Structure formats: structure tokens, C-alpha cells
Amino acid sequence: MNIVVLGAGNLAWHLSEEFQKKGQNILQIYNRTEKKAEALSKILQCDFTSKLENINRNADLYILCISDKSIAEIANSLPIENNLVVHTSGAVHQDLIPQDRRGVFYPLQTFSKGKEIDFKGIPFCVEANHENDKKTLIKLAKTLSISVHEISSEQRKTLHLAAVFANNFSNYMYSISEEILSVDNISFDILKPLILETANKIIYHSPKESQTGPAIRDDQTSIDTHLNDLNNGNYYDIYKMLTEKLRAENKK
Ligand SMILES: NC(=O)c1ccc[n+]([C@@H]2O[C@H](COP(=O)([O-])OP(=O)(O)OC[C@H]3O[C@@H](n4cnc5c(N)ncnc54)[C@H](OP(=O)(O)O)[C@@H]3O)[C@@H](O)[C@H]2O)c1
């Protein structure tokens, strides 16, 4: 398949390299900042441009790997009428793409440049305005992963909300832990086995069943000690609110 990738950020790097590994032909990289388009195109040995008017018009697929807020604007400015245009966002409705042949190719995973990732198990959420295009996107996703799902824009919105809790908020909790440990010169490394075991456990058990800790045990002494240590500082309110929520959940 001939593909033009728009964007040269975290996802564009990973996805375009993986497409290429799986035998797809990356025709061109477009990116607003030319240097970044050039850097990625060097790795892929393909053409690049920073000008939408110079976009290659012969691709089978135009895949927007650009910030959510710029998807509508860039799709509207794309000089493409009859080819398939998709975005890769968890949060943006398919219909923000004006082209009739539009769709979504959303990998439900976190990508950062320079951090290798195994695509095999990444859930790909696919949607398209036309049945044939959906089939094409499903086929393409199956070359990358064994986990491919037809998900509507409405379902994707719900999925994205759930993912913010599961991923972004839990990662923020790791940051808080790291900061708390640093006060006593303890390395965050010591918590990693605990974090990994917590994540592994929910593969076989529901998160609710797996919950442990002072709030669930109704261990008021530990809770008071922790709140006292936090001493109305930055994380006092978060600790108090989450403890109350967990206790209420436990009583249901
Ligand atoms: N990274 C992830 O974990 C992940 C996971 C799933 C889905 N996604 C989706 O993938 C898409 C890209 O995310 P990312 O994490 O790769 O973002 P990123 O690393 O922050 O890169 C953002 C890209 O968008 C371009 N851009 C920003 N504003 C623009 C504008 N006004 N006009 C044209 N281009 C613009 C940037 O171009 P410049 O280089 O010129 O700034 C850059 O290529 C998003 O829709 C996101 O929801 C990301």
C-alpha cells in the first residue's frame, strides 16, 4: 500500500517505521517543521515536504499523525479528494475529516520517540465512512497487530476517557510517588516491581478485586499518619479524596 504520513512526532515515527517493516510503501512524510520531516524521511529513505500543496497525490492512504487540535485544519487543507484520509486520535470524531473517504486508525497505546515498542498486541481501533475502506483499514491493522477492533467515534470517545484514567492519571501517581521518595533520597526503582505486579495482576483479576491498601483495609492509623505527613501540602487533597472514594466503593 502507498502511504503518505502527515506528522513527524511520537506516533508518526513509530507507525511509519512499523508500516515499512511490514512491507508498506511510505511515499512521503509531511510535517509543518521541515527539519523533522527530513529527519524521519532519512530513516525511511522516502520523500518529504513541509508544504501541503506539495503532498504526493498518488497515495492509497493519508494518515494524519498530528496534534488533535490541528486534524480538522490540516485535513481541510489537504489537496486530496478521492483518496482515503484517516486520523490516529482517540479523541477526535471521524467526521472532522471533510473527505468522503475518511476514517480512523487509532492505536490504543502510548508512544514516545526513542522508546521501542512491540506492535503485536497493540489494540487498533478502526472506523471508516465506507465499508470497503473499513475492510482496507482492518487488513492493514492486522499486518501490525493481532488486536484489531471496529470502534465507532462514540465508543472511541468513551475508550479515550477510560484510557486517561488508566494511563495518564496512574502515570501521574507514579510521579507523585517519585517526588515523595526523593525527599528521603530513595530511588523510584524500588517501587517498580510493585507497579509491574499491580499491572500484571489485572490481566487475570478485575481491578476492583485487586485493590489493596489502607483505604480498603479501613486502616485509619496509617491513613492519619499519611495525611499528617502530607501536612496539607500538594498531595493532601488527592490522598484524602481517593481514600474516601475507595472506602465508599468498598462499602457498595
Ligand atoms: N503518542 C501517543 O502515545 C499517541 C497514541 C495514540 C494516538 N496518538 C495520536 O497521534 C497523533 C499525534 O500525536 P503525537 O503524540 O505523535 O504528537 P507529537 O509527538 O506531539 O507530534 C505532534 C505532531 O503534530 C504536528 N502539528 C502540531 N500542530 C500542528 C499544526 N497546527 N499544523 C500542522 N502540524 C501540526 C507537529 O508538527 P511540528 O513538528 O511542526 O510541531 C508534529 O508532527 C494525535 O492525534 C494523537 O492523539 C498518539
Side-chain angles (χ1 to χ4, degrees), residues 167-178 188 238 242:
N167 172 30
N168 304 142
F169 290 169
S170 56
N171 193 62
Y172 177 57
M173 295 295 151
Y174 303 155
S175 304
I176 296 178
S177 300
E178 188 172 33
F188 179 63
I238 293 178
L242 288 176

Side-chain angles (χ1 to χ4, degrees), residues 7-12 30-33 36 65-71 73-74 88-90 106-107 109-111:
N10 290 306
L11 184 62
Y30 156 85
N31 196 54
R32 178 183 60 173
T33 309
K36 290 198 210 162
C65 301
I66 55 175
S67 308
D68 289 8
K69 61 179 179 350
S70 53
I71 288 173
E73 181 199 328
I74 296 296
T88 49
S89 166
Y106 167 54
Q109 186 49 282
T110 171
F111 299 86

Side-chain angles (χ1 to χ4, degrees), residues 150-166:
E150 283 182 45
I151 298 276
S152 68
S153 282
E154 285 70 28
Q155 288 174 311
R156 197 161 30 81
K157 208 165 135 224
T158 307
L159 200 54
H160 191 246
L161 172 62
V164 166
F165 274 93

Side-chain angles (χ1 to χ4, degrees), residues 1-8 12 16 19-20 24-31 34 37-38 40-42 44-65 78-80:
M1 198 172 193
N2 292 316
I3 300 175
V4 167
V5 175
L6 295 104
S16 53
F19 275 146
Q20 205 174 55
Q24 309 302 340
N25 181 28
I26 306 295
L27 278 185
Q28 189 183 45
I29 299 293
Y30 156 85
N31 196 54
E34 192 168 89
E38 187 177 8
L40 180 53
S41 75
K42 263 194 184 147
L44 302 165
Q45 308 243 305
C46 69
D47 184 26
F48 69 91
T49 183
S50 61
K51 297 190 171 44
L52 284 170
E53 63 268 26
N54 292 341
I55 287 272
N56 187 314
R57 322 265 162 124
N58 300 316
D60 305 302
L61 175 67
Y62 294 79
I63 184 157
L64 298 157
C65 301
L78 255 184
I80 299 299

Side-chain angles (χ1 to χ4, degrees), residues 73-116:
E73 181 199 328
I74 296 296
N76 266 296
S77 316
L78 255 184
I80 299 299
E81 276 172 27
N82 301 317
N83 311 43
L84 178 56
V85 180
V86 302
H87 73 65
T88 49
S89 166
V92 176
H93 200 284
Q94 169 184 250
D95 292 347
L96 280 191
I97 296 177
Q99 283 80 3
D100 178 50
R101 290 187 61 204
R102 59 182 171 268
V104 179
F105 196 79
Y106 167 54
L108 208 180
Q109 186 49 282
T110 171
F111 299 86
S112 299
K113 263 188 216 174
K115 164 76 182 70
E116 277 211 22

